[in-house]
Amino acid sequence: MDILDKIVIDKRKEVDLRKNLIPTSQLEQSVLFNRETISLAKKLKNSNSGIIAEHKRRSPSKSVINNSLNVQDVATGYENAGVCGMSVLTDGKYFGGALDDLLLARASCNLPLLRKEFIIDDYQILEAKAHGADVILLIAAILNKAEIKQFSEFAKSLHLDVLLEVHNEKELQKSVMPSLDMLGVNNRNLKTFEVSLETSKSLSSLIPNDFVKVSESGISSTTAIKELQPYGYKGFLIGENFMKTDNPGVSATEFIKGLL
């Protein structure tokens, strides 16, 4: 059983628990539920840098990355740096995140916010909307085609953008459908945790041009981005590279300067 299987088993228990605590009607009455969302896909299309910067305290592959920063400072720093969007990890057990992080980020910046989560239930999409997200992540490795369709169409009905993440050609083939905005290629092999940009390169020609192409994981230099841009990538998700420093906003500023 790989790490993703373990996460999904825990996630199902967690979502069942939360459903019992907070009814959907309560989520729909949230102050943020009716706010107008900001499209990350549109921002990426019109950007020179395409950086989606992440707030991530730890991960299963790297343990602690940074526990000392508060989300507000990170969000403000990223916005000042000129990133296109911010990814906020909300998984508690494996990544040290929380839905409250999303609320704090929303209160601190006007960036499009991605709820980075292992989505296995419509309920989590309602949560994302109620906590100020503009975009949700769907992971093809943990969902079948019918689930991808159901969740992406539900997200679109709430005016949320959808980023679908794939790791290989098989996942890509089952996933392409009109209710997606962005297709993300994760360069990390989930079984070995090894990272290779070749994954993004080899899958790029298989992604239809209707979707904004995003490359994820292992992007730690401007060289990597310049290498991927000719393959049609407009978005680059960067987490650890900024978060492992004392000031992610300053790191992102320097990084973007090096790109332009």
Side-chain angles (χ1 to χ4, degrees), residues 114-173:
L114 163 71
R115 181 186 187 188
K116 186 97 175 280
E117 183 53 271
F118 301 86
I119 288 180
I120 42 101
D121 195 297
D122 281 335
Y123 182 82
Q124 294 161 288
I125 301 171
L126 284 173
E127 281 181 328
K129 179 77 172 167
H131 288 77
D134 303 280
V135 194
I136 58 151
L137 174 76
L138 296 178
I139 302 170
I142 61 173
L143 303 169
N144 61 39
K145 189 170 186 168
E147 290 169 325
I148 294 169
K149 186 173 191 294
Q150 178 190 330
F151 297 150
S152 57
E153 287 178 356
F154 184 52
K156 296 312 293 174
S157 75
L158 296 173
H159 306 290
L160 294 167
D161 269 8
V162 180
L163 167 63
L164 184 112
E165 173 180 302
V166 299
H167 296 85
N168 54 45
E169 187 175 342
K170 191 178 163 203
E171 289 176 8
L172 180 61
Q173 301 299 8

Side-chain angles (χ1 to χ4, degrees), residues 231-247:
Y231 290 86
Y233 285 92
K234 296 290 287 175
F236 305 93
L237 185 74
I238 300 180
E240 287 160 21
N241 200 50
F242 302 146
M243 282 302 291
K244 67 187 179 194
T245 65
D246 293 334
N247 192 325

Side-chain angles (χ1 to χ4, degrees), residues 6-260:
K6 286 196 189 92
I7 291 173
V8 170
I9 289 166
D10 287 331
K11 193 56 63 181
R12 290 196 189 283
K13 291 177 194 157
E14 182 195 313
V15 172
D16 286 343
L17 193 67
R18 286 219 299 271
K19 275 177 159 176
N20 288 328
L21 288 171
I22 300 170
T24 53
S25 57
Q26 194 176 322
L27 292 173
E28 287 165 352
Q29 282 157 18
S30 141
V31 177
L32 292 168
F33 201 81
N34 293 317
R35 69 171 271 275
E36 203 171 312
T37 51
I38 314 160
S39 170
L40 176 60
K42 282 191 187 131
K43 286 233 172 194
L44 291 174
K45 275 181 194 164
N46 301 314
S47 164
N48 295 323
S49 75
I51 304 295
I52 305 161
E54 194 153 82
H55 180 268
K56 171 156 72 170
R57 292 188 183 87
R58 54 186 164 88
S59 75
S61 62
K62 289 273 168 73
S63 64
V64 173
I65 297 161
N66 198 330
N67 273 334
S68 61
L69 299 167
N70 71 59
V71 183
Q72 299 96 310
D73 290 346
V74 176
T76 311
Y78 281 160
E79 186 167 40
N80 292 339
V83 305
C84 281
M86 179 173 173
S87 163
V88 181
L89 268 143
T90 59
D91 173 78
K93 183 168 182 180
Y94 294 90
F95 291 87
L99 270 165
D100 277 355
D101 292 339
L102 202 49
L103 284 179
L104 291 167
R106 179 75 291 148
S108 316
C109 72
N110 286 315
L111 293 167
L113 295 181
L114 163 71
R115 181 186 187 188
K116 186 97 175 280
E117 183 53 271
F118 301 86
I119 288 180
I120 42 101
D121 195 297
D122 281 335
Y123 182 82
Q124 294 161 288
I125 301 171
L126 284 173
E127 281 181 328
K129 179 77 172 167
H131 288 77
D134 303 280
V135 194
I136 58 151
L137 174 76
L138 296 178
I139 302 170
I142 61 173
L143 303 169
N144 61 39
K145 189 170 186 168
E147 290 169 325
I148 294 169
K149 186 173 191 294
Q150 178 190 330
F151 297 150
S152 57
E153 287 178 356
F154 184 52
K156 296 312 293 174
S157 75
L158 296 173
H159 306 290
L160 294 167
D161 269 8
V162 180
L163 167 63
L164 184 112
E165 173 180 302
V166 299
H167 296 85
N168 54 45
E169 187 175 342
K170 191 178 163 203
E171 289 176 8
L172 180 61
Q173 301 299 8
K174 74 171 180 188
S175 307
V176 174
M177 53 187 79
S179 43
L180 308 173
D181 301 283
M182 295 162 279
L183 268 161
V185 177
N186 193 329
N187 300 307
R188 190 185 305 283
N189 180 316
L190 290 174
K191 295 193 168 35
T192 63
F193 284 130
E194 283 169 9
V195 174
S196 168
L197 295 184
E198 293 309 313
T199 313
S200 280
K201 292 178 185 175
S202 64
L203 291 181
S204 67
S205 61
L206 304 173
I207 300 173
N209 290 329
D210 322 357
F211 306 102
V212 176
K213 296 180 197 178
V214 178
S215 186
E216 311 170 22
S217 291
I219 299 166
S220 54
S221 67
T222 53
T223 317
I225 289 181
K226 287 175 178 163
E227 220 179 290
L228 289 168
Q229 281 171 330
Y231 290 86
Y233 285 92
K234 296 290 287 175
F236 305 93
L237 185 74
I238 300 180
E240 287 160 21
N241 200 50
F242 302 146
M243 282 302 291
K244 67 187 179 194
T245 65
D246 293 334
N247 192 325
V250 169
S251 310
T253 303
E254 293 304 312
F255 192 91
I256 290 171
K257 272 187 199 152
L259 255 186
L260 304 176

